[in-house]
């Protein structure tokens, strides 16, 4: 965010939201006010234009009618010479003058204006003449009527011009309304986008830090740029991250100390149990031999648990070295370690590998294989089968370890990969498990850039699939 934007952004989220609403609504309010004024102006222009057009048109028509009435009245006066007719003629003449003056003020009549004024003087003089004089000069009305017709036509033409001008002004006002509406609407949109950015940007920063916290990745230590509430939330997330690191370090330290402290008394127990089992101290009864066997078996079990704790501790600390690894020797070594258990349960093993090699860490891959094979032996059916298939797939090296047995319940398919969690299936081995074998295997696979999943698509089989980065191409299969 630029310095200007940081200086503009309020320190409070509530204040920022309120300012955002006000500034976004302000152009819209101005737009409503301006449009109301523009519409009022358009209405006023239209109203004034129509009103003046109607008045001027009516005046031109009235002047034509008055001219005809004046001619009829003066002709009757010339015949009858009744004083009332003369007075009526003068009143009509005055009304004509009252209508003509406003019309000539708005109509550019030019020479017609001077001609009408001159003719009005002659018409006034006509009222002073007698009957014979009027009859001789009454032809003046022909020219006067023609002038009125010309004035009526000229007034209508100029009224049409004024109406067209008003129409153009209305169009211009409407165009200005559209331009102003677009400008103020665009300003509201820009302001909305600006404040959306000011609010969303720190939220996205917090989201990335939360995701980093969940993935165990070191989050960005730079302070959150935004309102004070979000900055404080970012500081709390940083505190939570450091606190989790401290707790993780304490957990690992506890596991290290626990494993180390347990190995010393375990060595004494193992040595004593072995001495008793070998009858170094003397012959044993059948019950004492059975007790010795229990001591030896449980000492081995305790050793296995301690080694798993050490592996769980080591898998999270030791650096990973990825290189091509020959898989067959590791598998054969692991199968040899479980040979007695396989023979006791009558489990058959089929092994199918190709010539390709995965990119892996030798020690971590051995941990994964040991845990997968141990899991297959302990949970597999007696007189069953373990099928191990490995080879280069599409973009990765895939290893599948499958054993015959009942399917894992859907509710346990993800939980079995959690530390110290065992599924609801009964373990068929002699010793009970600790619940961290599959957790160690999955973490080891992830640390090598791979994956470990449960494949439930094969009925009658429990299959675990290990995917690793591949090295080399597919070759012949060796049974």
């Amino acid at each position: 965010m630029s310095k200007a934007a940081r200086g503009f952004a309020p320190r409070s989220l509530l204040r920022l939201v309120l300012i955002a609403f006000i500034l976004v609504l302000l152009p819209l309010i101005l737009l409503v006010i301006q449009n109301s004024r523009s519409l009022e102006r358009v209405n006023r222009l239209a109203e004034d234009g129509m009103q003046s057009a109607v008045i001027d048109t009516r005046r031109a028509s009235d002047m034509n009618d008055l001219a005809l009435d004046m001619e009829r009245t003066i002709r009757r006066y010339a015949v009858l010479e009744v004083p009332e007719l003369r007075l009526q003629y003068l009143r009509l003449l005055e009304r004509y003058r009252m209508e003509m003056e406003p019309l000539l003020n708005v109509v550019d009549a030019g020479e017609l204006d001077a001609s009408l004024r001159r003719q009005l003087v002659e018409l006034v003089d006509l009222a002073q003449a007698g009957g014979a004089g009027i009859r001789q000069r009454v032809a003046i009305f022909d020219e006067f009527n023609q002038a009125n017709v010309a004035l009526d036509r000229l007034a209508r033409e100029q009224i049409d011009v004024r109406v067209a001008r008003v129409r153009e002004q209305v169009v211009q006002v409407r165009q200005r309304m559209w331009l102003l509406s677009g400008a103020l609407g665009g300003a509201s949109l820009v302001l909305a986008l600006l404040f959306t950015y000011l609010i969303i940007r720190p939220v996205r920063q917090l989201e990335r830090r939360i995701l980093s916290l969940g993935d165990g990745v070191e989050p960005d230590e730079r302070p959150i740029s935004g309102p004070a509430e979000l900055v404080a939330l970012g500081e709390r997330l940083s505190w939570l991250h450091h606190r989790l690191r401290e707790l993780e370090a304490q957990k690992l330290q506890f596991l290290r100390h626990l494993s180390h402290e347990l190995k010393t008394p375990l060595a004494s127990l193992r040595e004593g149990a072995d001495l008793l089992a070998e009858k170094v101290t003397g012959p044993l009864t059948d019950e004492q031999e059975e007790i010795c066997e229990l001591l030896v078996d449980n000492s081995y079990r305790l050793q296995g648990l301690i080694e798993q704790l050490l592996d769980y501790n080591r898998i999270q600390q030791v650096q990973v070295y990825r290189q091509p690894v020959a898989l067959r020797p590791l598998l054969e070594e692991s199968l040899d370690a479980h040979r007695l258990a396989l023979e006791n349960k009558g489990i058959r093993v089929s092994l199918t590998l190709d010539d390709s090699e995965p990119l892996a860490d030798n020690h971590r891959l051995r941990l994964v294989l040991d845990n997968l094979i141990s899991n297959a032996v302990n949970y597999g059916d007696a007189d069953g089968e373990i099928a191990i298939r490995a080879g280069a797939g599409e973009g990765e090296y895939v290893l599948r370890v499958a054993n015959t047995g009942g399917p894992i319940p859907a509710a346990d398919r993800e939980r079995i990969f959690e530390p110290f969690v065992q599924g609801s299936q009964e373990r068929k081995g002699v010793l009970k498990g600790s619940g961290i074998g599959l957790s160690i295997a999955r973490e080891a696979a992830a640390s090598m850039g791979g994956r470990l999943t449960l494949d439930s698509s094969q009925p009658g089989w429990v299959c675990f699939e290990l995917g690793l980065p591949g090295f080399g191409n597919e070759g012949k299969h060796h049974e």
Side-chain angles (χ1 to χ4, degrees), residues 209-265:
R209 296 194 180 186
I210 292 173
L211 293 175
S212 300
L213 192 63
D215 294 337
V217 180
E218 191 72 20
D220 190 356
E221 293 294 338
R222 290 176 296 179
I224 298 292
S225 56
E229 293 88 341
L230 299 182
V231 173
L233 184 57
E235 294 174 352
R236 291 180 179 271
L237 283 176
S238 298
W239 171 84
L240 178 60
H241 169 69
H242 292 299
R243 182 58 179 161
L244 289 175
R245 288 178 59 184
E246 292 175 0
L247 293 176
E248 183 68 17
Q250 292 175 7
K251 182 194 73 172
L252 297 178
Q253 184 179 13
F254 169 75
L255 290 175
R256 286 197 302 270
H257 290 174
L258 178 64
S259 301
H260 177 74
E261 294 297 329
L262 288 177
K263 290 182 70 176
T264 301

Side-chain angles (χ1 to χ4, degrees), residues 150-207:
L151 179 61
D152 185 20
R153 182 174 62 253
L154 183 61
R156 292 179 185 275
E157 291 175 356
Q158 296 189 10
I159 288 172
D160 292 338
V161 172
R162 292 207 304 271
V163 170
R165 189 179 299 116
V166 170
R167 187 179 294 112
E168 291 177 358
Q169 292 177 348
V170 171
V171 172
Q172 292 176 358
V173 171
R174 185 174 61 184
Q175 290 176 348
R176 284 196 295 271
M177 286 175 57
W178 281 110
L179 291 175
L180 185 61
S181 299
L184 293 178
S188 295
L189 179 61
V190 170
L191 289 172
L193 293 176
L194 173 62
F195 283 103
T196 301
Y197 170 78
L198 292 176
I199 295 174
I200 292 299
R201 185 174 185 270
V203 173
R204 291 291 172 80
Q205 292 177 342
L206 292 172
E207 181 184 8

